[in-house]
Amino acid sequence: MESNFGIYIHIPFCKQKCFYCDFPSFAGRERLIDSYLAELSREMELTALKYGQDGKMAPYTVYIGGGTPSLLDTAQLARLFSAANEHIRFDQVAEFTIEANPGTLTKDKLRLMKASGVNRISIGVQSFDDNCLKKIGRIHRAGDAIECIKLAQSLGFYNISLDLMYGLPGQNMDTLKQSIEQAIALQVQHISVYGLQLEDGTVFARQQAMGKLQLPTDELVENMYDYIAATLPAGGYNRYEISNYALSGYESKHNSLYWQDVPYLGFGAGAHAYWQVNRYENPTNIDAYMAMVRRGEILSNIEEKVDEKAHMEEFCFLGLRMTKGIDKEKFRETFNKDIYAVFGDGIKEMLDKGFLQEKDGALSLTTIGMKYGNIVFGAFITGE
Ligand code: SF4
């Protein structure tokens, strides 16, 4: 098994579906949790037997995401951790993250997480404004989020990440500023900030189609973006990826693997894997996923066979997401080609426009380029 890889474990259960969410997550299916955990364990076991060493996988990072992993009760969480321990060697794991949502996290669950080796918690806050939280369908209120962050800190978690959003219905510059200031005041180590995207199949997409969704104007959203991009670095949070900011040394190791073309395995419904240069996707439907594992199938559903052309494009798209950019030497080592020989025209155009910069052997987005990332990504399509 490759030594440098990540493991993602998906828990697709949520108390309620947020209005913007198109992730593989389901409300009202909690009765499936116990059988789901059994199949998750089986999927890890089969994978470890096939690709592991001595029947165990030895990754660099482990990330339990969702959905809402903290919706599991303590006994279910204990089963999840014990299954992970059975099939994963944790001695080389540098970062073990779990996602949690306010309103589902308790002292007992946090204690169990800590005792099970979790060293990073990622909390879905989205906003510290109650009106906004209600309008996006979150189950918690701002006070719950503050309480659960402080509780985690009091129990010895020193690597906490918050997710925030901007461009939300009911959000204005004042409430956005208050959320960013509150996040900084809580002294968390990592902050991810995502702009609202209207995704098909969501409550928001339906409201939009009926003309019932009131969003901030494009100008206001742009001002919010500029405020975030200026304020978080001024508060000590380095922007190391388009949407991610961290105190020095607290950049997410797991997510950085995704952006650096490193393989990862994914377990659970809707989980993705990037393994031996192919991309795989498990069925999103929980029943279909469990049936797949019962048939003994793992890494069976190829989402994309990554040929060299697609690999070069993805290598660049992902590299550009990080402020350190695309490592030109690593490109040469990976593909045995100079990046200018493949994307030279597009690179020159983006350099001329001031969207791209070249320094320290890397090509990276400028501040303005980050804002218009999609235009720059378009320059890294081979077009053959
Ligand atoms: S808690 Fe997260 S995964 Fe669950 S519905 Fe809301 S946004 Fe989606």
Side-chain angles (χ1 to χ4, degrees), residues 1 38 40 66-67 95 120 124 128 150-151 165 174 219 255 268 287 294 315 320 362 365:
M1 182 177 258
L40 203 49
E95 187 183 86
R120 183 171 184 271
F128 285 104
K150 289 189 172 166
L151 186 61
M165 295 179 78
D174 285 343
E219 192 189 350
N255 290 335
D287 299 304
R294 282 190 200 114
F315 185 97
L320 283 173
L365 295 175

Side-chain angles (χ1 to χ4, degrees), residues 5-6 20-21 45 51 70-71 93 96 105 163 168 171 183 194 211 232 312 326 344 354 367 383:
F5 68 98
Y20 56 88
C21 178
E45 181 188 358
Y51 295 106
S70 52
L71 186 64
V93 172
F96 182 11
L105 207 49
D163 280 357
L168 300 173
Q171 196 173 39
Y194 301 102
L232 287 175
M312 285 191 291
I326 307 164
T367 308

Side-chain angles (χ1 to χ4, degrees), residues 120-124 159-163 188-192:
R120 183 171 184 271
I121 297 199
S122 175
I123 302 179
N159 191 354
I160 298 179
S161 177
L162 302 188
D163 280 357
V188 293
Q189 286 71 24
H190 187 282
I191 301 175
S192 304

Side-chain angles (χ1 to χ4, degrees), residues 103-133:
T104 59
L105 207 49
T106 62
K107 201 182 246 185
D108 284 349
K109 291 183 195 179
L110 279 163
R111 282 205 179 110
L112 175 62
M113 290 171 184
K114 183 102 185 115
S116 307
V118 171
N119 58 13
R120 183 171 184 271
I121 297 199
S122 175
I123 302 179
V125 173
Q126 317 314 348
S127 169
F128 285 104
D129 176 58
D130 283 345
N131 175 44
C132 211
L133 288 168

Side-chain angles (χ1 to χ4, degrees), residues 11 21 28 36 55 96 104 134 148-149 161 207 229 254 270 273 280 284 338 376:
I11 305 296
C21 178
Y36 181 81
F96 182 11
T104 59
K134 208 167 157 196
C148 100
I149 293 158
S161 177
Q207 288 179 351
H254 182 80
Y280 299 86
T284 302
D338 186 283
V376 189

Side-chain angles (χ1 to χ4, degrees), residues 13-14 16-18 20-21 23 25 66-68 101 126 138:
F13 304 99
C14 287
Q16 173 178 302
K17 192 79 182 167
C18 302
Y20 56 88
C21 178
F23 304 142
S25 68
T68 304
N101 283 321
Q126 317 314 348
R138 297 293 302 196

